[in-house]
Amino acid sequence: MTQQTDTRESQQAKAGAIIVPVTLFEQNCTIIWSEPSKKAVVIDPGGDVPKILEAIKQAGVTVEKIWLTHGHIDHVGGASELRDTLKVPIEGPHKADAHMLEHVVESGARFGMTGVRNFTSDRYLEEGEQVHIGELTFDILHCPGHSPGSVAFVSAAQRFAIVGDVLFRGSIGRTDIPGGDHCQLIASITDKLLPLGDDVAFICGHGPTSTIGQERATNPFLQ
Ligand SMILES: [Zn+2]
Ligand SMILES: [Zn+2]
């Protein structure tokens, strides 16, 4: 049900992560925490909130924030419920996706997802800003193309990133949904993600993890 992985160790802080696949879209809701404080963030709680709460309990971490990579229903469907349950703020995505958060019920209805709620973020994120959890710092990259307000969370110290639906192992995000733009997506990947360095590992919104180096060498959409 959940996979346990350890992100790379740096001199200062250590981090842990688990992926909890949620919704019928098998979206990779990800819990990241810093060691030894066990302060944690839940990224993209798309739904199945009880399953996420169980994973938090099993990991023995204290969630202090919710981060969102973009506004699509499979990434945000459980965000409002989780915020109310845990009493923590929601950070992200970029404000260009704000209207999607205000229409979660409507989008959910299209996929038979009930119990979802419309909401607003406590903090929209801009290119170059930083967010923190415990001793960990993540830089924000605004990566439009899959959706106008997609952001990536990058920990330079951990050589690790969360990229949502921008880049996948062997594929890239869809651009055939409203707000999608193929050229913009390719530019986001080539101008912002690839320069992070080949050793940077990343978790994507769906499917297995990868590294920048592997995608640079083998991703058919980037050749
Ligand atoms: Zn998406
Ligand atoms: Zn998705």
Side-chain angles (χ1 to χ4, degrees):
M1 185 196 288
T2 58
Q3 318 165 233
Q4 179 111 18
T5 51
D6 279 316
T7 55
R8 246 166 268 192
E9 201 181 312
S10 78
Q11 307 90 313
Q12 321 105 317
K14 281 190 184 179
I18 47 174
I19 294 171
V20 187
V22 296
T23 79
L24 69 166
F25 301 98
E26 289 286 302
Q27 197 274 119
N28 289 332
C29 171
T30 302
I31 303 167
I32 293 179
W33 63 90
S34 72
E35 297 281 10
S37 72
K38 301 273 185 195
K39 289 180 178 172
V41 57
V42 177
I43 304 171
D44 287 357
D48 301 329
V49 171
K51 191 175 167 182
I52 298 170
L53 291 171
E54 183 57 32
I56 293 167
K57 201 170 128 191
Q58 294 214 351
V61 298
T62 307
V63 173
E64 298 196 332
K65 283 171 188 172
I66 296 167
W67 292 346
L68 302 178
T69 62
H70 65 296
H72 288 159
I73 179 76
D74 51 325
H75 297 256
V76 308
S80 179
E81 184 184 345
L82 194 67
R83 172 170 62 184
D84 287 356
T85 306
L86 299 176
K87 311 268 185 291
V88 299
I90 296 174
E91 299 182 329
H94 185 276
K95 62 179 179 303
D97 276 5
H99 65 285
M100 296 183 196
L101 311 185
E102 287 150 23
H103 294 89
V104 175
V105 173
E106 217 174 301
S107 348
R110 263 179 257 140
F111 303 104
M113 289 171 72
T114 53
V116 297
R117 307 176 195 169
N118 298 336
F119 65 100
T120 53
S121 177
D122 297 294
R123 176 187 172 189
Y124 291 103
L125 298 170
E126 296 281 348
E127 172 84 17
E129 287 189 335
Q130 291 188 323
V131 289
H132 305 273
I133 194 69
E135 298 75 37
L136 306 174
T137 296
F138 287 75
D139 298 309
I140 301 304
L141 296 177
H142 181 207
C143 297
H146 170 67
S147 76
S150 285
V151 295
F153 297 85
V154 179
S155 167
Q158 304 286 331
R159 311 306 294 155
F160 173 72
I162 300 273
V163 304
D165 288 355
V166 174
L167 179 62
F168 297 107
R169 180 152 152 189
S171 188
I172 58 172
R174 289 175 60 172
T175 51
D176 59 340
I177 27 189
D181 182 323
H182 181 79
C183 291
Q184 210 177 32
L185 179 64
I186 296 293
S188 288
I189 295 168
T190 54
D191 299 348
K192 297 191 181 176
L193 297 185
L194 296 188
L196 294 176
D198 286 353
D199 64 320
V200 169
F202 64 90
I203 292 177
C204 359
H206 307 263
T209 58
S210 187
T211 64
I212 294 296
Q214 178 171 337
E215 297 318 305
R216 188 198 308 279
T218 64
N219 191 312
F221 295 91
L222 304 178
Q223 304 310 308

